[in-house]
Amino acid sequence: MASFNQETSELAAKIVYCGPGCSGKTMNLHYIHHKLAPTMKEELLTLKTETERTLYFDFLTIRIGAFRNVKVRFLLFSVPGQVFYNEARKLVLKSADAIVFVADSQRSRLRENKECFLNMEQNLVQNGLDPATIPLILQYNKRDLPDKVTVSNLNLVLNKHNKAYFKAIATQGGGVIETFRAISKLVLNNLSLTQSHIFEVKRGLTIVE
């Protein structure tokens, strides 16, 4: 869950990008990193295998300024999609404040999307988090490919909690920033409820956004 640093007066929230292998999770983080102003971001860290797939995680720190007079920092992670990295996925999901599930829209990946989503829910439960209530956005990526599943079918398979969703073409940046803005808003709204004691204490400070 979100942590507050007394020395820096900064609240850090963890956003995890989940999804099957090669669905576009890393591409999302790379595009976000590319579009942000230098003062808002730190270096994007990526650990990969020989095949250029994410081995453990991607990690990006974003300083978004002040929210209700409290400085807020987002820690963006992506998890490996391959099934044999389940322990790594579970570890990265620990203490997550929000989830972006990046689905591959190709018809051939529909079953894998479903299995990965169910696995994510199981890992959340094992980490003491509720899949039904945690802030979550669905991103239906690769909408430019010819053999894509309809959005209604993707919702039928993945969106049982009726979460917000976005269509995306992450290789071109389409839908990436919109998804990030939406999950950021959910996180900030949730923090204002779950971390209200921090915002009350810091209300008297003036922090330039």
Side-chain angles (χ1 to χ4, degrees), residues 21 80-87 89 112 115 119:
Q82 293 75 18
V83 65
F84 40 86
Y85 292 130
N86 184 57
E87 290 303 314
R89 292 201 301 268
E112 192 174 353
E115 291 174 349
N119 176 261

Side-chain angles (χ1 to χ4, degrees), residues 93-163:
L93 281 167
K94 187 177 181 180
S95 302
D97 294 287
I99 304 291
V100 174
F101 187 86
V102 182
D104 189 322
S105 291
Q106 296 178 93
R107 191 173 304 278
S108 61
R109 304 295 300 281
L110 187 59
R111 179 177 179 180
E112 192 174 353
N113 285 323
K114 182 178 180 179
E115 291 174 349
C116 188
F117 192 88
L118 292 174
N119 176 261
M120 178 196 71
E121 290 189 314
Q122 292 169 359
N123 285 333
L124 288 173
V125 170
Q126 291 176 20
N127 281 320
L129 300 169
D130 186 353
T133 60
I134 190 170
L136 186 148
I137 296 288
L138 292 160
Q139 183 188 95
Y140 300 143
N141 192 28
K142 303 186 182 182
R143 298 306 298 171
D144 56 326
L145 299 183
D147 189 31
K148 58 181 178 290
V149 181
T150 64
V151 170
S152 59
N153 281 343
L154 286 168
N155 274 327
L156 184 64
V157 172
L158 301 173
N159 202 1
K160 62 181 179 181
H161 298 303
N162 197 29
K163 302 289 187 176

Side-chain angles (χ1 to χ4, degrees), residues 22-31 34 102 139-145 167-176:
C22 295
S23 63
K25 304 179 296 294
T26 294
M27 185 61 66
N28 267 266
L29 266 63
H30 274 274
Y31 189 80
H34 173 70
V102 182
Q139 183 188 95
Y140 300 143
N141 192 28
K142 303 186 182 182
R143 298 306 298 171
D144 56 326
L145 299 183
K167 295 183 288 185
I169 306 174
T171 54
Q172 303 174 20
V176 172

Side-chain angles (χ1 to χ4, degrees), residues 15-91:
I15 302 174
V16 182
Y17 280 66
C18 297
C22 295
S23 63
K25 304 179 296 294
T26 294
M27 185 61 66
N28 267 266
L29 266 63
H30 274 274
Y31 189 80
I32 292 168
H33 182 262
H34 173 70
K35 297 297 290 185
L36 288 176
T39 56
M40 294 183 64
K41 64 190 178 184
E42 297 181 9
E43 182 181 359
L44 174 63
L45 303 177
T46 301
L47 299 179
K48 297 179 179 179
T49 65
E50 305 80 24
T51 58
E52 294 297 305
R53 290 186 174 188
T54 303
L55 170 61
Y56 192 63
F57 59 76
D58 303 298
F59 175 61
L60 173 62
T61 297
I62 299 175
R63 296 178 293 275
I64 68 166
F67 174 69
R68 297 187 179 179
N69 287 330
V70 175
K71 289 185 289 184
V72 177
R73 182 162 49 105
F74 287 156
L75 311 176
L76 272 59
F77 290 81
S78 73
V79 297
Q82 293 75 18
V83 65
F84 40 86
Y85 292 130
N86 184 57
E87 290 303 314
R89 292 201 301 268
K90 186 187 301 183
L91 183 60

